[in-house]
């Protein structure tokens, strides 16, 4: 399909394990965002890429969280030494970037549900 | 840090009734978005409001942006079971490069 895809859709990890979550944005979308959504809550911003450049990582909760987008398309969110409080749905979104300002619609993927035991 | 407060947090009503969901903040926003999210899926954009006092209609849904661009409301007329879902308001402080700040959402259940 032409939408944002994420894999895996579900991930169960034991506490202390490392996990890697993948996001395939819509082709041609310059901007890519990661959000964390706890159960029953709204999404919270984690980090933002413009092409391969990570321009904002202010929402990453700790240095165990790391994101990359080396070629400006696919992105990976890595969580090291997972903790139970990391259990959440991780959403990826992408958007076009129009020079000159204005708000650009973000298109969301279905998310990866991470459960840390 | 911008904070968006949504109310009510939960709402369960009968099919055919009307309802209003509110999104409030002390901050001024350049734009505000409403999303609907179903279980196992990502949020889907319903509408973006940009101008203070703006009213947008999407079939039975009416969205309003406050004059001061600090608050918004979503009104659903004659609710249907298909309207069931999590309704989220979100805002970006500047242009599209900003990550969105979301409210906690309103969990809406429409009973047949």
């Amino acid at each position: 399909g032409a939408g944002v895809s994420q894999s895996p859709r579900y991930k169960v990890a034991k506490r202390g394990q490392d996990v890697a979550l993948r996001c395939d944005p819509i082709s041609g979308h310059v901007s890519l965002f990661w959000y964390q959504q706890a159960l029953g809550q709204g999404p919270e911003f984690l980090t933002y890429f413009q092409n391969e450049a990570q321009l904002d990582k202010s929402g990453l909760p700790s240095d165990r969280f790391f994101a990359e987008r080396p070629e400006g398309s696919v992105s990976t969110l890595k969580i090291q030494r997972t903790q139970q409080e990391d259990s959440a749905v991780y959403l990826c979104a992408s958007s076009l970037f129009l020079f000159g300002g204005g708000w650009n619609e973000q298109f969301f993927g279905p998310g990866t549900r991470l459960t840390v035991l | 840090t911008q904070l968006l407060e949504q109310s009510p947090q939960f709402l369960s009503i009968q099919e055919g009734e009307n309802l209003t969901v509110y999104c409030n903040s002390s901050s001024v926003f350049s734009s505000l978005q409403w999303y609907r999210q179903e279980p196992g899926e990502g949020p889907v954009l319903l509408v973006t409001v940009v101008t203070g006092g703006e009213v947008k209609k999407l079939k039975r849904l009416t969205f309003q942006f406050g004059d001061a661009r600090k608050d918004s409301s979503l009104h659903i007329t004659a609710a249907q079971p298909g309207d069931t879902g999590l309704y989220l308001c979100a805002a970006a402080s500047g242009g599209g490069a900003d990550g969105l700040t979301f409210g906690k959402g309103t969990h809406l259940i429409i009973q047949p």
Side-chain angles (χ1 to χ4, degrees):
Chain A
V4 178
S5 61
Q6 294 186 245
S7 60
R9 291 294 312 276
Y10 303 91
K11 178 68 178 178
V12 178
K14 293 183 179 179
R15 190 163 56 97
Q17 284 185 333
D18 298 348
V19 298
L21 313 180
R22 177 186 168 105
C23 172
D24 284 82
I26 294 173
S27 178
H29 277 193
V30 169
S31 299
L32 186 144
F33 304 81
W34 283 99
Y35 294 86
Q36 180 191 59
Q37 186 173 24
L39 186 63
Q41 304 293 312
E44 292 191 359
F45 170 79
L46 294 177
T47 187
Y48 160 66
F49 289 86
Q50 184 176 324
N51 294 309
E52 69 278 4
Q54 189 174 19
L55 299 185
D56 187 349
K57 53 183 181 180
S58 61
L60 295 177
S62 77
D63 59 7
R64 295 186 296 104
F65 287 70
F66 173 76
E68 61 183 6
R69 194 186 185 197
E71 298 180 357
S73 55
V74 171
S75 178
T76 303
L77 176 66
K78 298 179 180 179
I79 309 174
Q80 297 176 328
R81 304 181 303 281
T82 53
Q83 304 295 315
Q84 285 188 326
E85 60 263 29
D86 300 334
S87 295
V89 173
Y90 290 85
L91 295 165
C92 175
S94 70
S95 71
L96 289 169
F97 182 80
L98 301 176
F99 291 97
W103 186 81
N104 306 298
E105 180 180 354
Q106 293 182 23
F107 295 84
F108 284 82
T112 294
R113 179 176 295 277
L114 173 64
T115 303
V116 181
L117 303 177
Chain B
T1 302
Q2 303 167 356
L3 184 64
L4 288 169
E5 296 185 359
Q6 286 190 243
S7 62
Q9 188 175 357
F10 297 96
L11 184 59
S12 179
I13 62 173
Q14 295 294 124
E15 181 177 1
E17 294 184 5
N18 301 331
L19 67 109
T20 302
V21 175
Y22 300 93
C23 177
N24 297 295
S25 176
S26 58
S27 300
V28 176
F29 299 107
S30 58
S31 66
L32 192 142
Q33 296 81 43
W34 284 93
Y35 289 83
R36 178 165 170 260
Q37 185 178 23
E38 297 193 55
E41 299 181 8
V44 175
L45 181 67
L46 296 174
V47 77
T48 299
V49 286
V50 178
T51 305
E54 182 176 7
V55 176
K56 284 191 172 180
K57 292 191 175 183
L58 184 65
K59 296 183 179 179
R60 294 176 293 101
L61 278 60
T62 301
F63 304 85
Q64 186 163 7
F65 201 14
D67 291 340
R69 291 186 289 131
K70 292 183 178 182
D71 55 86
S72 182
S73 64
L74 158 61
H75 182 79
I76 301 179
T77 303
Q80 299 178 0
D83 296 327
T84 293
L86 176 65
Y87 288 81
L88 296 157
C89 65
S93 60
D98 293 336
L100 292 171
T101 297
F102 283 86
K104 291 187 175 182
T106 294
H107 297 262
L108 176 62
I109 297 175
I110 309 301
Q111 300 179 16

